[in-house]
Amino acid sequence: MSTGPAHRPGTDVHLSVFLHGLRLDYRAHPAAAQLFLCEWNAHHGAHSAALLPGDAHEFPRLPCERLYLAV
């Protein structure tokens, strides 16, 4: 069984999500993060999630990231 696409070090982006006063930070494949941002911002407002510069290796992967890559 495959766990999803292979991720090369340094290719992930830092995705920051704001939900009810909490800031949740994740790392994600750039294509998955972009699709997530479009969907999330459409439902929660234009400034409730963002891609931030810098290394994302310290953050957990975006939950259900593979769903955003299966398009």
Side-chain angles (χ1 to χ4, degrees):
M1 178 193 306
S2 174
T3 59
H7 293 284
R8 292 187 314 270
T11 61
D12 290 333
V13 295
H14 178 183
L15 177 63
S16 189
V17 179
F18 302 96
L19 179 64
H20 301 293
L22 294 174
R23 178 177 164 179
L24 307 168
D25 292 298
Y26 300 105
R27 65 184 159 141
H29 184 278
Q34 193 62 42
L35 184 55
F36 176 88
L37 277 176
C38 290
E39 289 186 10
W40 183 267
N41 287 338
H43 295 286
H44 298 283
H47 299 290
S48 59
L51 291 179
L52 300 178
D55 192 9
H57 79 278
E58 66 192 61
F59 303 113
R61 294 215 74 79
L62 177 66
C64 300
E65 175 185 24
R66 64 188 172 101
L67 297 175
Y68 293 99
L69 292 172
V71 182

